[in-house]
Amino acid sequence: MEFYYYVNIFETKGLEYVLLICFLVLFILLVRYLSTPEKKE
Amino acid sequence: MNNTTAITSDFKRFIRFFLQELKPKGKWLTPFNIISIPVILLGTIILFIRFTQGLGSVTNLSQEFPWGFWIGFDVVIGVAFAGGAYIITFVVYVMKVEKYHSIVRVTVLNGLLAYIFYAGALVLDLGRPWHIINPIIGNSFGYNSVLFLVAWHFLLYMLAEFVEFSPVIAQWAQLEKVRKFVSALTLGAVIFGITLSMLHQSGLGALFLMAKPKIHPLWYSEFIPILFFVSSIFAGLSMIIFEGTISHKVFRNLIGEKSQHSFEEIILGMAKGAAISMFVYYFFKALIFIHEQQWELINDFWGYWYLVEVIGFVLIPCFMFAYAVKTRNTTIIRLAAIITLIGIILNRLNISVIAFKWDAVNKYYPSWEEIIVTLMVVFTEIWVFRWIVTRMPVFSKQH
């Protein structure tokens, strides 16, 4: 019988979920960054 | 009888006009001509030897390495660079963004020529080139083969692009009725072309799915088709920026003042698209890397080489594009486009040549003849492109 450690971020694919969440957040930030024109002083 | 006479006289008039247009225009002694003419002549001799004495006489291809520089550079890279045509036609004809209308004709022409020359270069690489017709005429169709899909898509996409470009040819030949007829077909051809393009850009990647044991694990993934498709978006956009910048310098007299200014805005828009698609591509690569748990592969030569490609030629130009859009700096955009194009060349060559059979004792290196023929293909395409744009109403001024 194989043991499964729920605390192992590799086995639970937790790292992939973390990366995806980071991607979604950063993607929104990138689009916002590209869409707003630079403020002129 | 009168109709026949009219058609005959029209045909004679067109032949006279065409022969007149064949005559060279402009200066002969230009740096490009001085470099390209000897290369094209040498390439023609090499091709004569290739077709009379076989592939082995001029290439380093073998049973162990049946695909080399011609497939890797001409087909796999050339088709990615031609991706700009389906993106711009989608943006202009489907999304109705008029800002990019002035570059539609030149982009479609580039795409059409890229497919004719680069996909056409497939013929050079076939041991029995006369078999190229087999997937089309049904001699051993091979429905299960990805090459079957790619062959049909190349053919149909070339036809679709020709239809998209044909109003320009009709306008040049002063055939008003024909121009109206083919113009009416444009939207259908565009939609058909976009569908085909999306499928065969990824189909080219799918060709490598069967080579799992031969490709280094850092480059092999079951998601290669998706990576090929996404990378074709920013490859195409970068190619338009690069090619457009050169065209606006070389063919300055053919392009209107208004178009010169609007090109700056067009570059900014395309840089934004490139930044977003590169960002998505980078995270795809990161996700595949983590999913495959390839940590132990990163600490050797191939690992460092992989990082150079992914960070140096994807992430860094992505940031450069984003920063340049924000600060409206077109110089940085042009620089980022060149880095991106080098990155695409590196990525596609890694998959098809460099990291292909990376552990083999006998390595494949392209022969000088393979490199000369590749240069010949590129130079010939530029010659044809120049011939067309100096005669037909390709740039906006003549619309």
Side-chain angles (χ1 to χ4, degrees):
Chain A
M1 187 180 169
E2 283 183 34
F3 289 99
Y4 198 81
Y5 296 102
Y6 286 96
V7 289
N8 187 328
I9 198 163
F10 291 105
E11 287 183 9
T12 55
K13 296 188 184 295
L15 210 52
E16 288 164 51
Y17 287 112
V18 170
L19 186 74
L20 266 179
I21 292 162
C22 287
F23 165 72
L24 288 171
V25 173
L26 289 171
F27 186 76
I28 293 165
L29 290 174
L30 177 74
V31 173
R32 280 174 64 96
Y33 175 77
L34 291 171
S35 306
T36 49
E38 198 178 32
K39 284 176 189 169
K40 285 180 182 171
E41 290 173 12
Chain B
M1 191 65 190
N2 281 343
N3 271 348
T4 319
T5 319
I7 290 168
T8 316
S9 93
D10 275 356
F11 183 71
K12 279 181 182 169
R13 184 188 62 80
F14 177 74
I15 294 293
R16 271 199 303 274
F17 167 71
F18 185 71
L19 291 174
Q20 190 66 28
E21 289 286 79
L22 277 179
K23 287 178 185 168
K25 287 181 179 178
K27 284 190 291 184
W28 262 97
L29 276 176
T30 61
F32 174 72
N33 287 0
I34 292 167
I35 296 168
S36 63
I37 290 171
V39 172
I40 292 171
L41 290 175
L42 187 59
T44 312
I45 296 165
I46 295 168
L47 281 186
F48 178 76
I49 298 168
R50 178 260 170 272
F51 282 112
T52 51
Q53 294 174 30
L55 274 171
S57 58
V58 292
T59 67
N60 283 343
L61 298 174
S62 60
Q63 292 295 345
E64 207 179 341
F65 290 97
W67 285 8
F69 197 62
W70 286 348
I71 291 284
F73 193 91
D74 295 348
V75 183
V76 182
I77 296 170
V79 169
F81 285 170
Y86 80 88
I87 298 160
I88 292 299
T89 50
F90 173 75
V91 169
V92 172
Y93 291 113
V94 180
M95 293 179 74
K96 300 281 180 195
V97 183
E98 284 301 313
K99 186 169 93 173
Y100 301 99
H101 206 137
S102 62
I103 59 163
V104 165
R105 286 181 167 189
V106 69
T107 311
V108 170
L109 173 64
N110 259 317
L112 176 64
L113 292 179
Y115 273 87
I116 290 172
F117 282 91
Y118 302 144
L122 262 173
V123 180
L124 310 178
D125 218 32
L126 293 179
R128 284 177 280 185
W130 54 92
H131 281 188
I132 196 156
I133 199 78
N134 280 358
I136 312 300
I137 60 170
N139 183 10
S140 305
F141 257 146
Y143 303 108
N144 297 330
S145 163
V146 181
L147 263 180
F148 171 75
L149 173 139
V150 171
W152 266 96
H153 277 207
F154 276 4
L155 176 76
L156 293 175
Y157 188 60
M158 272 190 249
L159 291 174
E161 288 222 301
F162 182 74
V163 172
E164 286 171 36
F165 190 69
S166 52
V168 183
I169 302 172
Q171 197 176 333
W172 164 72
Q174 295 165 1
L175 301 167
E176 191 51 29
K177 280 182 184 169
V178 178
R179 192 192 67 77
K180 278 183 182 163
F181 175 72
V182 286
S183 294
L185 297 175
T186 303
L187 185 61
V190 164
I191 294 168
F192 189 51
I194 293 163
T195 318
L196 289 167
S197 238
M198 289 171 76
L199 283 166
H200 73 243
Q201 289 287 357
S202 50
L204 265 184
L207 280 178
F208 293 94
L209 288 179
M210 68 183 91
K212 186 175 182 179
K214 295 177 183 172
I215 301 173
H216 191 282
L218 282 171
W219 281 276
Y220 179 84
S221 156
E222 59 265 46
F223 299 106
I224 288 182
I226 295 170
L227 293 173
F228 264 52
F229 167 62
V230 178
S231 60
S232 78
I233 297 173
F234 57 81
L237 291 171
S238 300
M239 193 62 195
I240 299 172
I241 295 170
F242 177 70
E243 178 275 321
T245 303
I246 294 172
S247 290
H248 275 71
K249 281 195 167 57
V250 177
F251 305 113
R252 202 183 297 119
N253 56 329
L254 297 172
I255 301 165
E257 193 67 29
K258 201 178 156 194
S259 295
Q260 293 275 15
H261 289 300
S262 67
F263 189 62
E264 301 275 301
E265 286 301 316
I266 288 171
I267 281 187
L268 287 168
M270 286 190 291
K272 196 186 278 186
I276 291 171
S277 53
M278 289 177 98
F279 188 77
V280 172
Y281 178 82
Y282 177 78
F283 268 88
F284 267 138
K285 291 289 266 191
L287 195 61
I288 290 165
F289 180 81
I290 289 171
H291 179 74
E292 303 285 342
Q293 298 183 14
Q294 294 168 327
W295 300 99
E296 71 276 11
L297 296 172
I298 212 72
N299 202 19
D300 63 1
F301 166 76
W302 292 105
Y304 302 143
W305 186 234
Y306 175 81
L307 290 177
V308 165
E309 180 200 305
V310 174
I311 295 173
F313 292 95
V314 179
L315 196 60
I316 290 175
C318 169
F319 286 146
M320 285 171 75
F321 275 128
Y323 173 76
V325 169
K326 191 74 174 172
T327 55
R328 298 181 67 84
N329 188 331
T330 51
T331 311
I332 296 179
I333 290 176
R334 289 178 174 113
L335 188 63
I338 292 168
I339 298 172
T340 306
L341 292 175
I342 296 169
I344 288 291
I345 293 173
L346 208 60
N347 171 256
R348 302 285 168 115
L349 282 183
N350 275 335
I351 292 170
S352 61
V353 178
I354 301 168
F356 196 87
K357 288 202 174 178
W358 83 103
D359 52 352
V361 182
N362 298 319
K363 294 273 183 192
Y364 161 81
Y365 297 99
S367 65
W368 67 268
E369 291 99 328
E370 286 175 77
I371 295 168
I372 291 289
V373 170
T374 300
L375 285 174
M376 175 205 166
V377 171
V378 175
F379 285 151
T380 314
E381 192 222 338
I382 297 172
W383 270 77
V384 176
F385 177 80
R386 187 175 61 179
W387 187 87
I388 293 173
V389 297
T390 49
R391 284 157 182 84
M392 297 185 194
V394 175
F395 292 113
S396 56
K397 189 182 169 185
Q398 298 153 305
H399 273 207

